[in-house]
Amino acid sequence: IGDFSPFCSAVATVPDSQSEAEYLSERKFSLVNGMHTVLAFLTLRCSCDLAAAPDARREYVLLKYSEMAREEQRMCEAWLAVRAARLVDTFGSEALAAWHGCGSAEEAWDELLSFGECVLEERFSCIDDVVSRVLGGGVANRWLTRLRPAQEWASAREEGRRCAAERFDASAAAAEAGTRSSRRRRRRRRWT
């Protein structure tokens, strides 16, 4: 792939494989476009008076991460973590570590979070942008294509953890019941 790039590595990241190219594309879509969409919806949530009739002509300037209240920053950080975890799940921590030149999966995770934080702090906090541009493809479309997939991915993992916890609890209860039954049998034998 690198032989076909008109740019040097100081100007553009040139992937070594098709899978790395797909990762870089998805990283941009998820951690740049996706987080931009998170900011747009968060701006609407914080700026709109839901009790009043919406004014379709009003323009909302996106909240800037560096100027947000800590509660909103935590919301952004949660979305960033989910989006980064989804990338790890999709492409694998070993591949990400190799592509980023990291020595471990933990370093690759840190690299993803640092990239996302840089986007939030240095890119999105330095310029004014407006909700109408970010959601210009349609509010429903942006929800369905940028936020919902991450939400569904996280929800599926939560459901999996809940089911695993229930299975563990059931196994533990069965083991405990078996242990109590064994103790009762041993006690009966001693008395007979």
Side-chain angles (χ1 to χ4, degrees):
I1 292 177
D3 297 337
F4 302 106
S5 175
F7 304 108
C8 71
S9 61
V11 175
T13 301
V14 180
D16 291 328
S17 66
Q18 183 62 36
S19 56
E20 184 180 5
E22 290 168 5
Y23 159 69
L24 291 171
S25 176
E26 186 60 31
R27 183 184 73 170
K28 193 268 184 194
F29 182 76
S30 186
L31 300 184
V32 177
N33 300 60
M35 289 307 297
H36 219 183
T37 306
V38 167
L39 286 176
F41 278 99
L42 188 58
T43 298
L44 290 176
R45 188 186 109 194
C46 293
S47 303
C48 287
D49 180 5
L50 298 177
D55 181 0
R57 297 168 299 189
R58 175 150 182 221
E59 194 61 82
Y60 294 95
V61 176
L62 286 182
L63 295 173
K64 290 180 174 48
Y65 179 82
S66 60
E67 298 170 7
M68 287 178 187
R70 187 64 190 126
E71 180 182 343
E72 282 80 30
Q73 286 180 333
R74 281 193 297 267
M75 177 71 73
C76 285
E77 292 161 4
W79 276 98
L80 174 60
V82 166
R83 299 178 94 67
R86 188 169 179 235
L87 287 169
V88 171
D89 188 48
T90 301
F91 295 97
S93 57
E94 295 81 18
L96 294 178
W99 295 332
H100 285 286
C102 299
S104 68
E106 291 79 14
E107 287 177 26
W109 173 253
D110 289 343
E111 184 69 30
L112 274 175
L113 292 181
S114 292
F115 177 85
E117 290 165 358
C118 180
V119 168
L120 284 171
E121 294 170 2
E122 296 176 23
R123 183 173 178 170
F124 295 159
S125 290
C126 293
I127 58 167
D128 283 339
D129 205 346
V130 292
V131 170
S132 63
R133 191 193 73 74
V134 176
L135 301 181
V139 173
N141 173 277
R142 291 301 185 247
W143 165 253
L144 290 170
T145 61
R146 296 191 181 167
L147 298 186
R148 187 175 179 190
Q151 182 214 12
E152 288 178 343
W153 180 87
S155 294
R157 263 98 210 123
E158 183 61 31
E159 178 65 19
R161 278 192 293 280
R162 187 187 60 72
C163 289
E166 287 174 1
R167 284 193 303 273
F168 177 80
D169 289 345
S171 296
E176 179 64 26
T179 302
R180 276 183 270 160
S181 178
S182 292
R183 278 187 253 155
R184 279 191 298 248
R185 281 193 300 268
R186 281 194 301 260
R187 274 186 253 148
R188 274 189 227 132
R189 276 187 236 139
R190 275 189 257 152
W191 293 105
T192 56

